[in-house]
């Protein structure tokens, strides 16, 4: 039985290269290609469209690819994150979101084909070092480790619901500096607004009310 695959990636050349690789495999066929969350949801909304596996990029033009995992599952589509994002916390978030596999874009075609076949058979497929850390309970989940001390201070205050004016007063910074820090924080974390920053901080940091 052929494994039906949908590709979700905003880079046309990536989709083209992946499709060519998969189409050379006898038991695989690419049944859909989407460039963002909006086009994926439009594809899913058509009852005529069906797939077994979704190869899903994490970073899409209109949001986080992980937001699609639940919707794919509702249609009976298992998801494999095919991405350049390989930090432990990123893989941890993918696990939490419910993806069935995780493979780097640097993997060779044979590894990709093996991952798809394994996930299609109902297995999970994650990097071996991640599976070892999971077994030992050592998986790093702190996405904020990439932030500077000052940026973490600002994140903690944002998570408390404080506006820039109060944050600037507490830290002895200008409001413009706080805005610049927030912009850098969102860029580092791949987030679009302060609500996302606050929500993620409440999940990953120990926030205490310092008022």
């Amino acid at each position: 039985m052929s494994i039906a695959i949908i590709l979700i990636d905003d880079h046309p050349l990536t989709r083209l290269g992946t499709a060519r690789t998969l189409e050379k495999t006898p038991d695989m066929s690419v049944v859909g290609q989407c460039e963002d969350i909006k086009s994926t949801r439009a594809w899913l909304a058509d009852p005529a469209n069906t797939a077994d596996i979704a190869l899903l990029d994490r970073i899409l033009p209109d949001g986080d690819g992980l937001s699609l995992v639940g919707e794919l599952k509702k249609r009976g589509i298992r998801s494999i994150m095919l991405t350049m994002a390989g930090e432990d916390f990123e893989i941890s978030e993918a696990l939490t979101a419910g993806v069935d596999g995780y493979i780097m874009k640097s993997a060779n075609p044979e590894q990709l084909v093996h991952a798809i076949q394994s996930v299609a058979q109902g297995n999970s497929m994650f990097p071996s070092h991640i599976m070892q850390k999971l077994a030992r309970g050592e998986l790093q989940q702190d996405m904020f480790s990439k932030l500077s001390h000052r940026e973490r201070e600002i994140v903690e205050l944002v998570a408390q619901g404080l506006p820039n004016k109060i944050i600037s007063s507490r830290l002895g910074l200008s409001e413009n500096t706080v805005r610049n820090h927030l912009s850098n924080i969102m860029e580092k974390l791949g987030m679009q607004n302060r609500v996302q920053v606050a929500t993620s901080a409440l999940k990953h940091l120990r926030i205490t009310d310092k008022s």
Side-chain angles (χ1 to χ4, degrees), residues 95 124-136 139:
L95 277 164
S124 296
M125 180 61 66
F126 289 88
S128 58
H129 77 281
I130 291 297
M131 299 307 292
Q132 291 168 5
K133 287 188 175 183
L134 279 172
R136 297 193 299 263
L139 188 59

Side-chain angles (χ1 to χ4, degrees), residues 55 80-84 101-108 111-113 115 125-127:
L55 290 183
I80 299 175
M81 191 65 61
L82 180 61
T83 181
M84 295 297 294
Y102 200 103
I103 188 167
M104 302 298 295
K105 288 184 176 180
S106 57
N108 61 48
Q111 290 173 317
L112 176 60
V113 167
M125 180 61 66
F126 289 88

Side-chain angles (χ1 to χ4, degrees), residues 15-88:
R15 294 199 306 271
L16 177 62
T18 304
R20 285 180 175 175
T21 295
L22 300 180
E23 293 289 1
K24 292 177 181 177
T25 305
D27 65 341
M28 295 183 185
S29 61
V30 176
V31 297
Q33 296 190 36
C34 300
E35 63 183 4
D36 54 20
I37 292 173
K38 181 179 179 181
S39 60
T40 302
R41 286 174 173 159
W43 190 90
L44 291 171
D46 186 343
N49 292 330
T50 184
D52 302 301
I53 299 290
L55 290 183
L56 175 64
D57 194 5
R58 174 74 191 260
I59 302 174
L60 297 172
D62 53 352
D64 190 336
L66 288 180
S67 65
L68 292 168
V69 174
E71 297 170 56
L72 291 165
K73 282 188 179 299
K74 288 180 181 178
R75 289 291 306 276
I77 303 172
R78 294 169 66 81
S79 56
I80 299 175
M81 191 65 61
L82 180 61
T83 181
M84 295 297 294
E87 296 294 331
D88 284 3

